[in-house]
Each structure stands twice: as C-alpha cells, then as structure tokens.
Amino acid sequence: MNVGGWYEPGSTLLHRTPAGWKFLVLFVLAGVVFFVTSPGWLGAICAAVALGYAVARVSLRRCLQVLRMLAILVVFVLALQWWLLGPVPAIVMCLRIVAALAAANLLTITTRVEDVVSAVERGMRPLGRFGVRPDRLGLLVGLTLQSVAALSTIAAEVREAAKARGADRSVIAFTVPFLVRTLRHADELGEALAARGEGDG
C-alpha cells in the first residue's frame, strides 16, 4: 500500500519501534485527547507529539507540510467553534485535532503502512473465531492511515498552488480545489476497492 512517499526511512528509536506498539499508542492517545478537556493538558500532549517529530528527526520539509495542513484546518475549526460555542471549547477542539492528526502523521512518517496492517491482522487473528475478519480490519486501518497522508499532501499542494496564484489568503481558492481533489481521491479509492472485490458481500 503506497502513501505517495509519505514514509521517511530512518534508524531512530521511533522508526525501530514495532508498528503494533506505535499503533496501540496512537489508539490510546486518540482516546485520551477525546476525554481530556483541559487546554493545559492538551497543550502538553501536543508538545509531546512535537517532541516525537524531533526524536524521529523528521525533515523540515515534511514538518512544514504537516504544519501547513494543521494550520489551515485549525483556523477553520477555531473560527467555527468560537462562533458557536465560545473561546475555550474552540481551543480545546483545535488542540484535540492537532494532537490526534499530528500523531497520526508521525506514525505514517515513521512506519510503513503495510507494517501497521500486518500488525493489526496479527493482533486481531485470535478474534477470528468470533467472526471478526482480521484482513478487513487491517485494510480499514491501512486505508485510514493512507487517507491521513493523502489529505495532508492534497492540502499542502492546494495551498502552494493558491500561493503561487497570489490567492493564499482566499478561503475559496483553497476550499474548492481541496474538495474537488478530495472527492476525486475518494472516487479512485472506491474504484480500487471495487477492483479487488471489496464490498461485494
């Protein structure tokens, strides 16, 4: 499963950590940020994720791609939530998004998606006797991680294209191409799944 070169090979501690353990940590972190409501604690979690990027020695170019993607999303969510719910809930929501998406991106940068899929399939294999299909769960996890990387790449490319046209401050100049490319990606993904017979049953 290819994520368009999102994975960066390396020999750091995070690269060497087994995919299953990293995915488990990501799963736990996503659950924690969902229940934590303190901006201070959520900020600390974001700082810990940022430290993970430093430990993994992620390239500056890739870090800037992640930052641009998160900045665009955070500005939109912050404005909407601030208007609907007020400043504190808006900040909490944005910190949750930053922590979860930054951690998911760090996983895709330091781990091959196929390694995560294999780890999930191995871990879920004992549940096969209860009707659980480990291959389907592995595919779901792989597609989720692939989508995180793909949408991050699309957002960065659309942002750069808008900047080149001098429209980097226009919401429409970003939103419309981003939605079009996202829908196109979803169509291509659906066609790929149909080609391998997924969903026929």
Side-chain angles (χ1 to χ4, degrees):
M1 192 172 293
N2 193 317
V3 294
W6 196 252
Y7 169 72
E8 285 191 354
S11 58
T12 68
L13 176 63
L14 278 179
H15 284 86
R16 297 195 307 270
T17 301
W21 285 108
K22 285 188 281 190
F23 179 74
L24 180 60
V25 169
L26 176 63
F27 184 78
V28 171
L29 184 143
V32 169
V33 299
F34 178 79
F35 287 105
V36 173
T37 58
S38 166
W41 281 108
L42 287 170
I45 293 173
C46 290
V49 175
L51 180 61
Y53 279 79
V55 171
R57 299 175 186 171
V58 179
S59 67
L60 179 61
R61 178 182 62 85
R62 188 54 49 79
C63 288
L64 290 177
Q65 282 183 340
V66 175
L67 282 174
R68 281 195 293 266
M69 181 271 295
L70 290 176
I72 294 168
L73 184 59
V74 164
V75 168
F76 176 76
V77 172
L78 182 64
L80 182 62
Q81 293 290 318
W82 195 302
W83 178 56
L84 293 175
L85 302 175
V88 175
I91 292 172
V92 168
M93 178 61 68
C94 288
L95 288 173
R96 285 172 172 168
I97 291 173
V98 169
L101 289 185
N105 274 289
L106 181 59
L107 177 65
T108 62
I109 290 171
T110 60
T111 316
R112 294 182 179 87
V113 175
E114 53 265 34
D115 292 340
V116 179
V117 172
S118 297
V120 171
E121 290 179 350
R122 287 195 303 271
M124 295 294 103
R125 200 165 291 152
L127 299 179
R129 68 186 68 179
F130 302 108
V132 176
R133 293 190 55 179
D135 57 329
R136 287 289 179 91
L137 287 176
L139 177 63
L140 175 62
V141 170
L143 290 177
T144 301
L145 293 177
Q146 186 185 43
S147 296
V148 170
L151 292 179
S152 300
T153 301
I154 290 172
E157 291 175 352
V158 170
R159 180 70 173 174
E160 287 300 318
K163 186 176 180 180
R165 299 195 305 270
D168 51 314
R169 295 187 179 182
S170 171
V171 176
I172 294 177
F174 171 80
T175 304
V176 174
F178 178 74
L179 289 176
V180 169
R181 291 190 57 179
T182 299
L183 292 173
R184 187 181 303 157
H185 172 72
D187 286 341
E188 293 172 352
L189 183 58
E191 291 174 0
L193 290 174
R196 53 178 289 174
E198 296 294 339
D200 291 345

